[in-house]
Amino acid sequence: MFALRGGVAAEADRGGSGAAGGGRIDALDGIRAIAVTAVVVYHLFPDALPGGFLGVDIFFVLSGYLITRGLAQRIASGKGLGLARFWWRRTVRLLPALGVMLVVVAAVTGIVGGPAAVRLRPQLVAALTYTSNWYQAGAGLSYFERTEPPVLQHLWSLAVEEQFYLLWPPLLIAIVVLAGSARAAAGVTAVLAAASAVAMAVTLVPGEDPSRLYFGTDTHGFSLLIGGVAALVSLSPGVWAARWLAAPSDGRDKVHRLVVVSTLAVCVLGMVLIGETSTFAYRGGIVLVDLAAAIAVVSAAVPGQVAPLLGSRPLVWVGRRSYAIYLWHWPLIVLLATGARIPEGTRAVLVVGLSLGLAALSWTYVERPVQRLGVLGCAKRFAAHLRSGGFVPVVGMVVVAITVWAAAGGIVRSPATTSAESYVEGGQDAIGAAAEVRPAGSASAPDRSVDPRRPLGKQTTVIGDSVTLASAKGLLAVLPGIDIRAEIGEQMWDAPDVVGRLQASGELRPVVVIALGTNGDFNSDTIDEVVEAAGHGHVFVFVTAHADRDWIPSVNAKLRRLSDDQRSVAVADWDAAASGVTDFASDGIHPGPQGGRAFARVVKEAIASLVRR
């Protein structure tokens, strides 16, 4: 296939890669610790570290590097890949700790219930088949939505990695056969990485949720492939980077240390500056951080005192348990958000403490025993403990049995929808039923001005989002005949087009209610565009938004200023009225029946105030 010659081969023989040498490199564990810390901080305090999600990309680069380097060295040695053995080792490394976490999480969600228990069955199937990324993308779930997120949402990244482990070894063989050298193989791999990065950049639609691009192996695989390029370059005879890495250690360690520190600083700077939904992140930002991470990984993997801080005992301890920390931290965040509200600081302390504790237990009693003894060896040891008849083995079996029983109950009782989804679906059904019984032609040729003698509902068009849908039953009851045009995820900037289409088709009624803003902020000019699209003779009610989201104060400040500026505009202050609502869904955003009627009354009062004018 291709040969490793000279200094590079010698460096490889010294164990330049944990994958190759069979051991672990402390500095790489330090990088793992930085990556997992960034992810945990991001999930706990997204505003404090808006780009902490890039920690996952550092994991991807590191995995791509280690796996590719180990595979390339086996190809060069002429031993062959041993694909079945390779896949079995990856399964044994990843699945036991994952399986324990899934059982415990299923048991706890079965006990506590709430949003965490929603759609648990398909999440478990996706987790065990390593297709979580495609399940979440297909279900339209958002990685960046913090209202009632799936309890196993974080497993998308494990799915991407496992798919890489499955597809990359045979693809690498094909690349090496065609390319003939590690250097040429690095070039081909770089082309594949570029294609994936370009796919992410080109298919991004600014302003829309980028979760499909983030979840997709096709559009996010470049992070793993960049790690693969780094590995192949480090093994390429004649490439200046490979010669530098293989140079005598005298004077080299200081330069390597500077490279590691500076490139990791670029990664941390990216985590601070690159936002989760910024266009730059998906059009070069993630790639930039990946490249910096790749350089850091290659430099840190060189034997010697390259990065003593990365090899410090605390970072190495965290790094070696980073897989289990990642597995446990997200379910803990979701589960602790269920039920009584816990102060943010207290929740963070609990999540970090429990994650470290559970990771330590996982490392000691699950991961390390399986690595040392294998699956059969662990099974034999467990059976021997049971046969001993001691107190601890018996208690352990009882705990396991209770946990499995609770997990089974949690899986069986898992609801298919959240309370918010139920409210929204109920509203959609009510709108459909009202449309079926509406007399033919009742929606055509509406009057151009409000007639105070006619029912207000029959003169009103509401344009809204999922909150409007959840309130639809109340709107139809309080304002009979009202025309509700609401879509899940609708934004204020969608309103001018919607109003324009309804006006052009003759369906826009004289009273136009705009209930948008829950899903994002908007430019003040959008209001003028809505009014202009409706044309002369219409009056408008703008409904304030109610949600625990960063942009809500800005949205409501713009809306509350409107009634002071125009006689044909009124503001329905739903945000103020929501304080008296007692049946919000668990997300605190979508109202139930009582809240829906309160929403409708606020809207009706605002319309009545316009009529009185």
Side-chain angles (χ1 to χ4, degrees):
M1 300 270 182
F2 59 83
L4 307 179
R5 298 190 297 273
V8 179
E11 189 276 328
D13 291 340
R14 291 196 299 268
S17 161
R24 296 181 70 102
I25 298 174
D26 287 348
L28 296 185
D29 280 323
I31 292 176
R32 289 186 181 95
I34 292 172
V36 76
T37 299
V39 173
V40 173
V41 171
Y42 166 71
H43 284 153
L44 287 170
F45 305 108
D47 295 333
L49 196 65
F53 63 94
L54 294 167
V56 171
D57 289 272
I58 296 177
F59 274 123
F60 282 171
V61 171
L62 184 54
S63 295
Y65 170 82
L66 292 175
I67 292 300
T68 303
R69 188 175 175 90
L71 293 172
Q73 288 177 328
R74 286 192 63 85
I75 294 173
S77 70
K79 298 177 182 178
L81 287 184
L83 289 179
R85 183 171 181 269
F86 169 80
W87 287 325
W88 172 249
R89 289 184 64 182
R90 298 316 303 163
T91 300
V92 169
R93 171 67 186 94
L94 299 174
L95 195 56
L98 173 65
V100 171
M101 184 275 291
L102 292 177
V103 171
V104 173
V105 168
V108 175
T109 56
I111 295 170
V112 303
V118 175
R119 286 187 287 269
L120 185 60
R121 288 189 295 275
Q123 288 186 71
L124 288 171
V125 172
L128 291 171
T129 56
Y130 289 105
T131 56
S132 292
N133 61 326
W134 295 119
Y135 160 70
Q136 293 181 54
L141 301 177
S142 173
Y143 179 71
F144 308 105
E145 174 58 63
R146 295 180 179 89
T147 302
E148 299 184 348
V151 71
L152 300 178
Q153 181 187 67
H154 64 315
L155 298 185
W156 75 270
S157 64
L158 270 67
V160 171
E161 285 203 38
E162 195 66 23
Q163 290 159 31
F164 177 78
Y165 298 151
L166 180 66
L167 299 175
W168 182 235
L171 183 57
L172 180 62
I173 293 176
I175 291 173
V176 168
V177 168
L178 295 174
S181 70
R183 186 175 187 175
V188 175
T189 305
V191 171
L192 294 176
S196 175
V198 168
M200 172 180 276
V202 170
T203 54
L204 174 73
V205 179
E208 291 190 4
D209 192 308
S211 293
R212 162 59 184 88
L213 307 178
Y214 194 70
F215 288 142
T217 308
D218 53 345
T219 49
H220 206 154
F222 61 83
S223 298
L224 288 150
L225 291 170
I226 286 173
V229 172
L232 292 168
V233 167
S234 71
L235 294 171
S236 302
V239 176
W240 70 268
R243 292 199 302 272
W244 176 62
L245 291 170
S249 61
D250 295 341
R252 183 191 63 182
D253 286 354
K254 290 183 179 179
V255 178
H256 280 198
R257 189 177 301 120
L258 178 62
V259 170
V260 171
V261 171
S262 59
T263 49
L264 287 179
V266 171
C267 294
V268 173
L269 188 64
M271 295 173 187
V272 173
L273 299 178
I274 300 177
E276 59 190 21
T277 57
S278 69
T279 299
F280 174 66
Y282 305 94
R283 291 182 173 170
I286 297 176
V287 172
L288 180 63
V289 171
D290 287 348
L291 292 173
I295 297 171
V297 166
V298 171
S299 299
V302 175
Q305 296 299 314
V306 174
L309 180 60
L310 288 176
S312 63
R313 291 184 65 182
L315 285 182
V316 171
W317 191 94
V318 172
R320 293 189 176 181
R321 293 155 184 81
S322 58
Y323 174 55
I325 292 172
Y326 183 83
L327 285 179
W328 286 102
H329 86 282
W330 180 253
L332 288 169
I333 290 174
V334 175
L335 290 168
L336 287 173
T338 301
R341 189 174 182 86
I342 300 175
E344 193 175 61
T346 303
R347 184 188 64 158
V349 170
L350 288 172
V351 168
V352 172
L354 289 171
S355 296
L356 292 175
L358 291 167
L361 292 172
S362 175
W363 177 257
T364 302
Y365 296 107
V366 180
E367 296 169 73
R368 290 295 288 160
V370 171
Q371 290 177 33
R372 291 174 176 172
L373 303 174
V375 176
L376 291 178
C378 288
K380 290 178 181 178
R381 173 175 286 190
F382 184 69
H385 279 304
L386 287 180
R387 287 194 298 270
S388 68
F391 175 76
V392 173
V394 171
V395 171
M397 274 300 298
V398 172
V399 171
V400 170
I402 292 174
T403 303
V404 171
W405 175 80
I411 294 170
V412 170
R413 293 192 299 271
S414 171
T417 59
T418 65
S419 54
E421 290 169 337
S422 298
Y423 290 160
V424 169
E425 290 172 3
Q428 290 171 324
D429 292 341
I431 294 170
E436 291 176 1
V437 301
R438 187 175 297 154
S442 63
S444 62
D447 294 334
R448 289 291 182 180
S449 59
V450 181
D451 183 351
R453 296 168 298 180
R454 293 185 60 215
L456 293 178
K458 294 183 178 181
Q459 302 180 76
T460 302
T461 297
V462 179
I463 298 169
D465 51 26
S466 59
V467 174
T468 304
L469 289 172
S471 307
K473 291 181 180 179
L475 287 167
L476 291 166
V478 174
L479 291 163
I482 192 170
D483 181 24
I484 301 175
R485 307 294 180 115
E487 297 289 341
I488 296 172
E490 197 88 327
Q491 299 262 27
M492 184 68 80
W493 61 65
D494 297 316
D497 289 340
V498 176
V499 170
R501 288 197 303 269
L502 292 175
Q503 170 67 358
S505 64
E507 297 175 275
L508 190 67
R509 298 180 179 183
V511 179
V512 181
V513 177
I514 306 293
L516 298 169
T518 306
N519 297 308
D521 206 347
F522 59 93
N523 190 301
S524 296
D525 293 341
T526 306
I527 301 295
D528 296 330
E529 294 172 11
V530 170
V531 174
E532 183 179 346
H536 179 71
H538 291 84
V539 295
F540 300 87
V541 172
F542 288 88
V543 184
T544 60
H546 175 77
D548 184 16
R549 293 176 172 174
D550 296 340
W551 57 83
I552 296 300
S554 174
V555 166
N556 290 343
K558 293 184 183 78
L559 296 179
R560 286 173 177 141
R561 288 195 296 266
L562 293 177
S563 58
D564 296 332
D565 300 334
Q566 303 178 52
R567 289 182 55 81
S568 61
V569 173
V571 175
D573 202 342
W574 164 238
D575 187 45
S579 61
V581 173
T582 59
D583 64 345
F584 276 112
S586 54
D587 62 2
I589 297 174
H590 297 87
Q594 179 254 339
R597 289 190 295 272
F599 181 95
R601 286 193 294 270
V602 170
V603 171
K604 183 177 182 179
E605 289 168 5
I607 296 173
S609 71
L610 283 174
V611 173
R612 287 194 297 270
R613 294 179 192 176

